[in-house]
């Protein structure tokens, strides 16, 4: 829950048990930066136009999400969101063992209802959820507790075959607190979410894909290239229309069907005020590639 909900501070190699997360003795993030940003991202063939890569780099703690780390992550994402040249963001964890294995348990254990309320450290999650630019999580290894919630906060998830998703908070005497009960239920349904959250069982990549939690499962070494390739395809589309479509899709999980249809129609109509709509339809009629301006 510093970064949301906690993972566990022990290791199990069996699929039936919660796997590893932030060690209780892990250092806090106040001593230095744990977020690396590359824009444009570096792909196999060179810079990926319009795509940023944000990396959580706290490998000594399996990229555990402390309060300070989340604040830093939110600031980095907001800066990219304000840059019109950035049209898609890939978020990943450094190393191969974890995307983010959960919360900093030592930091979490000393919290009280009063400190959690008055210090408002969970406000970083609201900032992350407000990012308009499409986001893609590239997940290798553990994405547990807050790490799973962070992956689900992204618009799409590319998962390695070795990825493990889970909400093991129940094994610490608490429950998900940064979207786990809500986003997991919307992604995979009530029955499956109940089972996973109430038992703390992990979900492997293949099962997560079958359940609808992840966009695609790939070989471990192909995780980041696949995510960057998807981001590049999105970045090549008209950005105003992309953001409008993203917001309409997100509303589908929150609004009744009639209200969602109304939101979609209004967004569709508004796009006819954009230069990109004029350009896109002209390019189609003239059988040429469109030149998007983001206006």
């Amino acid at each position: 829950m510093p970064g949301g909900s906690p993972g566990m501070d022990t290791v199990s190699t069996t699929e039936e048990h919660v796997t590893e997360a932030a060690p209780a003795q892990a250092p806090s993030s106040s001593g230095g930066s744990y977020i690396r940003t590359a824009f444009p991202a570096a792909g196999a063939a060179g810079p990926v136009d319009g795509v940023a890569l944000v990396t959580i780099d706290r490998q000594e703690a399996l990229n555990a999400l402390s309060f300070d780390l989340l604040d830093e992550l939110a600031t980095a994402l907001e800066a990219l969101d304000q840059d019109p040249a950035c049209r898609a963001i890939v978020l990943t964890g450094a190393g191969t063992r974890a995307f983010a294995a959960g919360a900093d348990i030592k930091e979490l254990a000393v919290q009280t209802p009063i400190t959690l309320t008055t210090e408002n450290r969970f406000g970083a999650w609201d900032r992350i959820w407000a990012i308009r630019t499409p986001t893609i999580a590239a997940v290798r290894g553990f994405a547990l507790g807050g790490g799973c919630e962070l992956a689900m906060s992204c618009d799409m998830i590319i998962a390695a075959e070795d990825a493990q998703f889970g909400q093991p908070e129940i094994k610490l005497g608490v429950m998900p607190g940064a979207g786990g009960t809500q986003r997991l239920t919307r992604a995979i349904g009530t029955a499956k979410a109940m089972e996973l959250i109430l038992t703390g069982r992990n979900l492997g990549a293949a099962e997560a894909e079958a359940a609808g939690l992840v966009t695609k499962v790939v070989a471990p070494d192909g995780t980041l290239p696949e995510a960057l390739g998807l981001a590049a395809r999105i970045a090549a589309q008209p950005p105003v229309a992309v953001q409008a479509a993203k917001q309409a899709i997100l509303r589908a999980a929150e609004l009744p069907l009639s209200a969602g249809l109304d939101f979609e129609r209004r967004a569709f109509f508004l796009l006819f005020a954009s230069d990109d709509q004029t350009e896109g339809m002209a390019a189609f009629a003239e059988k040429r590639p469109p030149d998007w301006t983001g206006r």
Side-chain angles (χ1 to χ4, degrees):
M1 277 184 201
S5 304
M8 299 295 288
D9 60 358
T10 57
V11 179
S12 171
T13 58
T14 66
E15 293 182 357
E16 294 301 318
H17 295 82
V18 177
T19 53
E20 152 182 31
Q25 72 275 15
S28 72
S29 62
S30 60
S33 173
Y34 290 113
I35 301 300
R36 292 189 279 111
T37 300
F39 180 60
V48 185
D49 188 44
V51 175
L53 174 62
V54 177
T55 303
I56 301 168
D57 193 353
R58 195 186 179 197
Q59 294 186 64
E60 76 282 358
L62 296 177
N63 299 325
L65 304 174
S66 67
F67 287 135
D68 288 345
L69 186 153
L70 271 182
D71 284 338
E72 188 182 347
L73 175 61
T75 297
L77 293 175
E78 287 171 338
L80 292 168
D81 201 37
Q82 293 298 316
D83 187 343
C86 181
R87 299 182 177 184
I89 302 169
V90 174
L91 176 63
T92 194
T96 62
R97 298 182 64 196
F99 171 76
D104 185 320
I105 303 302
K106 183 177 180 180
E107 184 178 58
L108 180 64
V110 299
Q111 300 301 314
T112 70
I114 299 303
T115 61
L116 290 170
T117 301
T118 60
E119 294 177 8
N120 193 32
R121 300 307 297 271
F122 271 63
W125 285 99
D126 300 327
R127 295 164 60 195
I128 291 169
W129 298 334
I131 299 301
R132 301 165 301 163
T133 305
T135 54
I136 301 168
V139 178
R140 288 202 62 180
F142 302 128
L144 302 180
C148 187
E149 289 166 319
L150 181 60
M152 291 190 294
S153 295
C154 295
D155 300 310
M156 290 152 280
I157 301 174
I158 300 298
E161 293 167 342
D162 61 7
Q164 291 281 322
F165 300 88
Q167 300 291 162
E169 293 85 351
I170 204 76
K171 293 176 180 281
L172 293 179
V174 290
M175 59 175 278
T181 64
Q182 303 304 302
R183 285 189 167 83
L184 190 62
T185 302
R186 284 166 169 78
I188 67 175
T190 300
K192 182 64 74 174
M194 280 283 190
E195 182 229 338
L196 294 174
I197 292 172
L198 299 189
T199 66
R201 179 174 76 85
N202 287 352
L203 197 66
E207 187 180 1
E209 182 181 36
L213 179 61
V214 307
T215 306
K216 188 175 184 179
V217 175
V218 298
D221 289 345
T223 308
L224 187 55
E226 182 70 28
L228 290 173
L230 175 57
R233 294 193 294 276
I234 294 170
Q237 306 307 318
V240 177
V242 165
Q243 289 191 11
K246 169 179 170 171
Q247 292 305 315
I249 294 167
L250 292 176
R251 293 300 191 281
E254 300 177 359
L255 298 176
L257 178 60
S258 58
L261 291 171
D262 182 63
F263 185 93
E264 177 191 77
R265 184 166 299 174
R266 290 174 182 272
F268 175 77
F269 288 173
L270 285 172
L271 287 173
F272 279 76
S274 70
D275 292 345
D276 281 346
Q277 175 271 325
T278 303
E279 167 64 11
M281 294 189 176
F284 178 83
E286 296 165 10
K287 296 182 173 56
R288 61 173 176 80
D291 180 19
W292 309 123
T293 63
R295 296 192 295 272

